[in-house]
Amino acid sequence: MNLRPAPWIERDGIPFWEAAKRGELVAQSCKDCGVLRSPPRPMCPDCHSVANEFRVLSGRGTVYTWVIPRYPPIPAYGEGNIVAVINLDEGVRVVSNLREIEYDDVTADMRVEVFFEDAEQDYKIPVFRPATA
Ligand code: ZN
């Protein structure tokens, strides 16, 4: 199977993708009020601070919703690529993919854990699979 395309990265997201290369799932956190936010952005929506840092997350959460996009087909992703919204245990949401499970076996609120898939240009993409224990 071909590697996934490299992610399209904005300046605020650089630390997220560098952490993923190390096998860490991180979220941006406001340095003044501590609120986590995902995806990364320049300003805190709660206190309007522009000071931020990135915190390593557990990589565990639950499935909120999921779908298989059918059109237009994207060859690099093949058939049956499940796109899911994951509620991470730390309280932020990410859009990702589900692996190691069939679409019909996915259930709302099922426990999942992150792992990382290789992508072009040596990037790693965080994706999720059913949680072990
Ligand atoms: Zn804040």
Side-chain angles (χ1 to χ4, degrees), residues 3 20 33 42 47 51 56-58 64 72 87 102 111 123:
L3 285 178
C33 77
C47 75
V56 178
L57 307 178
S58 65
Y64 179 69
N87 286 331
E102 296 298 320
R111 298 288 299 163
Y123 280 99

Side-chain angles (χ1 to χ4, degrees), residues 30-35 37 44-49 51:
C30 176
K31 233 174 174 171
D32 288 317
C33 77
V35 160
R37 54 193 197 248
C44 176
D46 280 35
C47 75
H48 301 163
S49 170

